[in-house]
Amino acid sequence: DTHIPEISLRWTNATPREVFRYVLACEKSDKNKRIAFTNDDRRIEAHTKICGFPYKEAINYTLVGCNEPAMLGGMCASTSHANLAHSIEYIMHCRNKEIEHAESFEEFYEVFKDQLYKDLDKIYHYDDLYNLQKAKDINYVSCLFLNGCIDNAKSITQGGVNYGISNIMFLGNVTVIDSLAIIKQFVFEEKTLAMHELVDALQNNWAGYEDLKNSIAKRGNFFGNDDETSNYTAKLFYNTLFEYIKNKKNVFGYPALIGDHTGYRLHFKWFGEGTKATPDGRYNGAPLSYGISQNNSKLRNGLTALMNSISKFDVNGISSATVTNFTLDKFYIEDEKCFEKTADMLEAYFKSGGIQFQLNY
């Protein structure tokens, strides 16, 4: 009788196909389109190996919204939002003298990594300040329903629960991956573009460089096409994030994972408005990429290529709260024969390491 129920299927390798297909069929007939699918194996691995939770606590969660975890009797703090595209923007517009003489992609990436870590230091610092501000509000009633608050004599707002996750929502991740891929492809692999030319194009918001922008749009190796270049930069970027957060704790001692939000949250638009042009072809002020999906105009090799790219990029499982929207033609859902193939495709996506998906058609 819930007006608009929120339902998620926590899939594992042991989930029978008929169960997976049944919930897909429920989603097909759900007028609210509120059913999401998540790979429980990836999430539990993150909770145990990265967060250090015992297995019986690692499985003790539910999902709210799209894919945001809620620990039963615990806490998942995912209220802060941050723009990771700032790091690539800043080195192209403000540290350009350092990168213009880079002789290899690896040398260029070290400058990017340095800026990324400086930005992450600032992001987590402000997240701690935000949590300390919240700690001034002692939430007495909720303490009765949470594990640890009474024993620890601390409110949930003060880090009183025994099991919690610090889950900052990062935006612009694919903007970063695509920008790195374009630089690797055009500047260092093909050597058809000098770094100083790319810097000048960005600082002029692509004015006078329309041919270059069109060439990037047509030939660029963008994330989601299962190509070697963008798969490499995606994996490199997330490995770099993992190295930063693998032992990271917030002000209350909660371990860090990362997440991201999708289009219904306006942050990707707001952050984009304050972000200058980036190497992936963005103009000044254009929206950032959202989730770990891809703009349809950049997808050339179909949905299965996107699924392959997503299943490969995060080998450590830090992005357990990542949201992925798949858009299909309604024929593949409404036609019975095609629906069976769609079910097989989506199940194969999870089996290959896919994290989460929601369907639009």
Side-chain angles (χ1 to χ4, degrees), residues 29-68:
S29 59
D30 175 27
K31 66 180 186 298
N32 297 306
K33 294 284 166 275
R34 296 295 291 176
I35 301 179
F37 298 77
T38 190
N39 187 337
D40 215 29
D41 293 333
R42 298 294 306 275
R43 189 183 295 275
I44 291 172
E45 184 178 28
H47 288 174
T48 53
K49 289 188 177 180
I50 300 174
C51 299
F53 297 163
Y55 182 79
K56 66 183 181 67
E57 297 296 337
I59 64 172
N60 199 25
Y61 75 91
T62 189
L63 295 173
V64 296
C66 291
N67 193 39
E68 296 84 6

Side-chain angles (χ1 to χ4, degrees), residues 233-244:
T233 57
K235 186 176 179 180
L236 177 64
F237 177 53
Y238 271 82
N239 283 346
T240 302
L241 289 175
F242 172 69
E243 287 301 315
Y244 183 90

Side-chain angles (χ1 to χ4, degrees), residues 98-359:
E98 295 177 60
I99 62 175
E100 286 178 2
H101 302 292
E103 296 183 358
S104 66
F105 178 76
E106 290 71 25
E107 191 175 329
F108 161 82
Y109 191 81
E110 283 304 310
V111 180
F112 167 75
K113 180 179 177 180
D114 176 71
Q115 185 60 46
L116 176 65
Y117 280 8
K118 287 178 179 177
D119 287 344
L120 288 170
D121 285 344
K122 187 176 293 186
I123 288 166
Y124 280 94
H125 170 68
Y126 278 105
D127 185 63
D128 283 343
L129 292 180
Y130 173 67
N131 282 310
L132 289 172
Q133 190 69 23
K134 283 202 303 182
K136 296 177 182 178
D137 176 19
I138 299 175
N139 201 322
Y140 291 104
V141 176
S142 64
C143 292
L144 301 174
F145 303 95
L146 298 165
N147 299 325
C149 287
I150 293 176
D151 294 339
N152 298 323
K154 291 181 181 179
S155 165
I156 182 175
T157 57
Q158 300 170 326
V161 298
N162 291 333
Y163 295 100
I165 300 171
S166 170
N167 205 321
I168 292 177
M169 294 292 165
F170 292 132
L171 285 87
N173 303 12
V174 173
T175 299
V176 174
I177 293 167
D178 283 347
S179 295
L180 294 173
I182 293 302
I183 290 170
K184 188 174 191 299
Q185 176 187 353
F186 282 80
V187 177
F188 295 106
E189 291 180 346
E190 298 178 358
K191 300 185 186 299
T192 56
L193 175 64
M195 184 69 78
H196 70 86
E197 291 179 294
L198 179 59
V199 167
D200 194 57
L202 298 181
Q203 294 186 350
N204 285 282
N205 196 25
W206 300 105
Y209 290 90
E210 289 79 8
D211 288 344
L212 172 60
K213 189 177 185 304
N214 288 335
S215 178
I216 288 172
K218 290 179 180 178
R219 298 197 304 105
N221 291 323
F222 296 110
F223 179 78
N225 293 295
D226 199 21
D227 66 88
E228 184 177 340
T229 301
S230 66
N231 283 350
Y232 173 82
T233 57
K235 186 176 179 180
L236 177 64
F237 177 53
Y238 271 82
N239 283 346
T240 302
L241 289 175
F242 172 69
E243 287 301 315
Y244 183 90
I245 73 165
K246 64 181 179 181
N247 297 311
K248 187 72 176 175
K249 299 284 193 296
N250 77 349
V251 68
F252 299 136
Y254 297 154
L257 294 174
I258 69 173
D260 49 57
H261 271 307
T262 56
Y264 76 92
R265 297 298 294 259
L266 287 174
H267 296 83
F268 78 100
K269 176 178 178 291
W270 296 336
F271 280 133
E273 289 172 351
T275 304
K276 296 176 182 177
T278 44
D280 60 329
R282 271 187 65 261
Y283 285 111
N284 290 347
L288 302 178
S289 60
Y290 55 88
I292 195 67
S293 190
Q294 182 58 281
N295 183 314
N296 284 339
S297 67
K298 294 179 178 178
L299 288 179
R300 305 189 184 100
N301 298 332
L303 183 57
T304 52
L306 174 62
M307 291 177 173
N308 286 338
S309 293
I310 294 172
S311 66
K312 296 173 183 176
F313 81 102
D314 179 16
V315 296
N316 298 296
I318 57 173
S319 56
S320 65
T322 283
V323 175
T324 306
N325 286 339
F326 290 146
T327 302
L328 300 171
D329 189 291
K330 65 179 181 178
F331 175 78
Y332 297 105
I333 300 295
E334 295 177 353
D335 180 85
E336 282 304 313
K337 289 184 179 180
C338 284
F339 181 70
E340 295 302 326
K341 293 180 180 179
T342 299
D344 288 340
M345 176 181 66
L346 293 168
E347 186 182 45
Y349 163 71
F350 271 162
K351 287 182 177 180
S352 65
I355 303 167
Q356 187 263 7
F357 72 85
Q358 292 160 210
L359 288 180

